[in-house]
Amino acid sequence: MTPELRHLRYFVAVAEHLSFTVAARELRIAQQSLSQQIVALERALGTRLFDRDTRGTRLTEVGRVFLPEARAVLARADAAVETARRAERGEVGRLRLAFLVSTANYMMPPVVRAFRERYPDVDLVTEAVGIADLVGGLRDGRYDAAFTRPPLVDDLKTVTLVGERVCAVLPTGHPLAGRAELRLADLAGEPWVLTPRGSWEPWHRKYDEDFRAAGFAPRVVQRADGVPSLLGLVAAGVGVTRLARSAHSLRRTGVVFVPLAGERAETVMAWHPGRDRRAVRNLLDVAVELAAAIDLTEAG
């Protein structure tokens, strides 16, 4: 017979009280059953653990050596059980997060800081990526959750955290740069710099709808990957673009952000419904509370 944890618990209880009567009462089992279990343990080990006589119960030398080892095994088993329970509650383990590159500058610092303060034993792994890698990573399990613009796909869950104005981004000195607000139609005659159409087709279909609603098709003079590149092209006078207001934190000179009437951009937390585990829900709770308390678009 291989000793089980219950045999070790029985042994430790008797060893601590040196009384089968008291140990049985504490364990809430019959004294005769406890005696039988100790005998079975001794047989399995091939040695006596207790001396029993009319003077009482005493540990043998083997029993004295075995006691701290048995206690250590039981403590480790209890710790393993508690770790499993904490993992179920999302308090330990690993959480892999993706941040859309254009949102990482302001979203990553406050979200990561707040989550680590509340769940210090969770290993939080972060990565700033483009939208295609972000969505692909959520789908294939590389990422547990992500902070992004709405990906406009049906197979991911999203919760909106932040809404902000969308702006026309113009080079310094542009004739429209001094306006308090613009309409998208005001930019119909401008050269445009945009991201490649293949960067994320659902977004570009939405851009096409917006431009059609404004009554024009943009004259795209150059395409570039990523918000920093677009801002650099605008600062160089190559063309204009439109971005969420928070993008101004990526470039402070050479460009002017003018709000566009009626246009808003959202930042959402996204995750795959097939991996809707407790740690992801804990992250969502932290992010929602943070978004209610501060302006996340200015927090980075």
Side-chain angles (χ1 to χ4, degrees):
M1 180 193 81
T2 301
E4 301 175 10
L5 289 176
R6 62 188 176 92
H7 294 112
L8 299 185
R9 294 193 191 281
Y10 296 158
F11 164 71
V12 170
V14 175
E16 289 179 343
H17 296 290
L18 294 178
S19 167
F20 279 79
T21 302
V22 175
R25 186 182 308 123
E26 179 183 272
L27 294 167
R28 297 185 178 181
I29 63 173
Q31 183 174 335
Q32 181 180 3
S33 176
L34 176 59
S35 296
Q36 291 171 346
Q37 294 296 327
I38 294 298
V39 169
L41 175 61
E42 290 176 325
R43 285 175 180 167
L45 296 176
T47 186
R48 287 185 301 107
L49 298 172
F50 296 100
D51 285 325
R52 312 166 184 81
D53 56 30
T54 56
R55 292 177 296 171
T57 301
R58 298 178 303 282
L59 283 166
T60 64
E61 180 59 28
V62 172
R64 282 192 289 274
V65 172
F66 187 53
L67 179 58
E69 300 298 328
R71 282 173 171 153
V73 170
L74 292 173
R76 185 70 188 91
D78 289 343
V81 170
E82 178 58 22
T83 297
R85 288 171 176 161
R86 294 188 67 205
E88 174 61 25
R89 297 193 298 266
E91 297 172 359
V92 295
R94 171 172 288 196
L95 200 58
R96 297 155 300 181
L97 304 186
F99 288 80
L100 186 69
V101 171
S102 60
T103 68
N105 190 53
Y106 62 88
M107 286 294 294
M108 188 185 293
V111 169
V112 170
R113 182 168 51 246
F115 187 84
R116 282 185 166 157
E117 286 175 356
R118 188 172 301 184
Y119 299 101
D121 295 326
V122 174
D123 182 15
L124 205 59
V125 180
T126 63
E127 188 174 358
V129 296
I131 182 62
D133 285 339
L134 183 148
V135 172
L138 291 175
R139 286 170 170 165
D140 66 23
R142 281 178 289 139
Y143 305 124
D144 297 300
F147 294 88
T148 178
R149 302 294 179 205
L152 305 181
V153 293
D154 296 330
D155 60 333
L156 299 178
K157 288 187 175 181
T158 62
V159 171
T160 300
L161 300 173
V162 178
E164 58 181 309
R165 298 198 71 174
V166 173
C167 296
V169 187
L170 313 172
T172 300
H174 190 282
L176 299 176
R179 297 272 291 271
E181 186 176 80
L182 292 169
R183 295 174 301 113
L184 186 57
D186 294 331
L187 303 173
E190 300 291 334
W192 281 78
V193 293
L194 297 173
T195 54
R197 289 202 65 89
S199 59
W200 193 241
E201 187 60 31
W203 284 358
H204 280 275
R205 287 197 296 268
K206 179 63 168 62
Y207 299 159
D208 292 343
E209 292 172 7
D210 293 343
F211 286 124
R212 280 196 296 270
F216 72 100
R219 179 168 59 90
V220 180
V221 296
Q222 192 165 335
R223 295 187 182 271
D225 286 313
V227 171
S229 295
L230 291 176
L231 289 170
L233 290 172
V234 173
V238 175
V240 303
T241 194
R242 65 172 186 165
L243 296 169
R245 181 183 59 85
S246 55
H248 80 281
S249 65
L250 299 175
R251 187 178 186 94
R252 304 286 185 176
T253 61
V255 296
V256 177
F257 282 68
V258 180
L260 287 168
E263 296 202 28
R264 303 280 295 174
E266 295 178 343
T267 301
V268 303
M269 180 175 140
W271 68 98
H272 193 283
R275 284 175 285 279
D276 193 2
R277 58 194 181 94
R278 185 63 178 271
V280 172
R281 287 290 172 176
N282 291 345
L283 175 66
L284 178 61
D285 289 343
V286 169
V288 168
E289 291 175 18
L290 203 57
I294 63 174
D295 181 359
L296 284 174
T297 64
E298 297 287 352

